[in-house]
Amino acid sequence: MLSAIIGISTIIVFSVFSEAQLEPKVFVTHSGQVIQTSGDVLDPLYTASTVEFDPGKYLRDFNYGRISELNGQTIREFTIIAEDDKIQEISPGVFYNVWTFNGTVPGPTIRATEGDLVRIHFINNGSKSHTMHFHGIHPAEMDGVFEAVGPGGGQFTYEFEAGPVGVHPYHCHVMPLEEHISHGLYGVYIVDPKEERPPADEMVMVLNGFDTDFDTENNFYAANSIPFYYQHHPIQIKTNELIRIYVVNMVEFDPINNLHLHGNLYNYYPTGTSTVPSTYTDMITLSQTERGIMEFKYDYPGKYLFHAHKVEFSEKGWVGIFLVNDNPDQKSQTGIDYEN
Ligand SMILES: [Cu+2]
């Protein structure tokens, strides 16, 4: 609604001094701000956010769907709506046209147990064609590549059995793919093993970036969309409590990303497909859509950084802090029984 008002009320006034391309043009935004530029204006100008995204909530928010059962199989149904007209304040004063699944970037974390039937009611309320392409095992027609879902209310139902066990991305797969992904049409899909992993304080981190000046290089990087968010709002955890992070790299334009943890090492399970870790390290490197599960405990309380050891990324926002609180009585915040 607000974005529609913005769209209608954005008045573009430009004075043409000559036919020369580099002559300055003056733009007046809907809020009255006057902007002069000799460059092309590739997108409308915005000064208001229409997205409400809380990285603190997203971190531990898992969506298990509407649950029913048929012939002994658990069915999990989700409704996912794509839009491409939302505006998010990526960094103070920097507004960017994000394309969203259910109103946020990343979209909701979808979670099922191996063997469940996952049914996604996908509605495209955007102005361009979109799809949902899940990584994992499913029939060809459920792959979200060749069945583009048209704009303005197009619908498609994706249905498949959850598997394999692990952490997988989902994203739009309409061309130009780079544009559809970099604007934010992605999220995380977790498949739990039938025999549950040990109890833990679980989190999701999507490593992402935003190219806010359209030069196919990212201007901002983050874990969960907002640069420096977890530095300003440290993630509270407890000593001796098992932490499990489902991490997915969705950074477009850059060939690699990485994740370094301070004062500790973690067991790492690439793609989460094995219950046996492949490595014990403080640093993993990930290409786009590469992902895995990290597990660790802190022995000592205090503040610990985690960040990209690609320093450019950390200096542009991909950095956070774990605030490890002392836990002398071994009281768990996740219901873990420490006696066992
Ligand atoms: Cu798309």
Side-chain angles (χ1 to χ4, degrees), residues 235-253:
I235 298 171
Q236 307 263 341
I237 59 175
K238 290 187 173 183
T239 54
N240 298 317
E241 183 152 53
L242 181 63
I243 308 299
R244 179 176 299 124
I245 302 179
Y246 299 90
V247 59
V248 179
N249 178 39
M250 288 307 300
V251 163
E252 191 60 72
F253 309 122

Side-chain angles (χ1 to χ4, degrees), residues 99 129-131 172 174 180 185:
W99 302 1
S129 289
H130 298 298
T131 64
C172 176
V174 168
H180 287 243
L185 286 172

Side-chain angles (χ1 to χ4, degrees), residues 133-167:
H133 161 70
F134 286 80
H135 289 215
I137 299 170
H138 45 247
E141 63 271 23
M142 295 297 148
D143 201 39
V145 173
F146 302 114
E147 301 80 12
V149 182
Q155 300 198 15
F156 191 92
T157 302
Y158 299 98
E159 192 174 291
F160 47 83
E161 222 167 72
V165 163
V167 52

Side-chain angles (χ1 to χ4, degrees), residues 16-222:
V16 181
F17 296 97
S18 75
E19 58 282 351
Q21 290 294 310
L22 294 178
E23 290 293 352
K25 290 166 279 188
V26 177
F27 289 80
V28 182
T29 72
H30 68 283
S31 65
Q33 194 180 1
V34 179
I35 293 171
Q36 187 169 331
T37 177
S38 59
D40 290 331
V41 174
L42 299 177
D43 246 16
L45 301 163
Y46 301 99
T47 56
S49 212
T50 61
V51 164
E52 284 180 26
F53 179 67
D54 177 356
K57 180 172 181 295
Y58 173 82
L59 185 72
R60 293 181 173 101
D61 194 13
F62 301 97
N63 296 266
Y64 293 90
R66 299 181 295 278
I67 299 170
S68 58
E69 203 181 298
L70 185 67
N71 301 328
Q73 185 180 34
T74 299
I75 301 170
R76 296 182 188 273
E77 298 190 61
F78 303 84
T79 300
I80 305 286
I81 299 172
E83 293 173 289
D84 48 34
D85 64 346
K86 291 199 175 293
I87 308 304
Q88 184 164 357
E89 189 170 19
I90 297 297
S91 189
V94 179
F95 295 85
Y96 182 67
N97 170 215
V98 285
W99 302 1
T100 57
F101 286 129
N102 284 5
T104 58
V105 179
T109 298
I110 293 171
R111 193 159 183 176
T113 300
E114 187 181 31
D116 291 351
L117 187 75
V118 176
R119 187 177 294 148
I120 311 274
H121 302 282
F122 176 59
I123 302 167
N124 179 10
N125 282 345
S127 61
K128 302 164 180 66
S129 289
H130 298 298
T131 64
M132 291 185 78
H133 161 70
F134 286 80
H135 289 215
I137 299 170
H138 45 247
E141 63 271 23
M142 295 297 148
D143 201 39
V145 173
F146 302 114
E147 301 80 12
V149 182
Q155 300 198 15
F156 191 92
T157 302
Y158 299 98
E159 192 174 291
F160 47 83
E161 222 167 72
V165 163
V167 52
H168 311 293
Y170 67 84
H171 57 85
C172 176
H173 213 297
V174 168
M175 303 299 251
L177 195 54
E178 188 177 75
E179 186 181 15
H180 287 243
I181 292 179
S182 67
H183 274 80
L185 286 172
Y186 49 78
V188 175
Y189 161 51
I190 295 170
V191 181
D192 291 315
K194 284 177 180 160
E195 192 172 324
E196 290 178 13
R197 297 177 196 275
D201 183 358
E202 296 198 324
M203 307 171 193
V204 173
M205 285 190 194
V206 173
L207 312 183
N208 53 358
F210 294 98
D211 167 24
T212 55
D213 59 3
F214 316 109
D215 64 354
T216 66
E217 287 185 20
N218 290 306
N219 303 83
F220 300 95
Y221 295 88

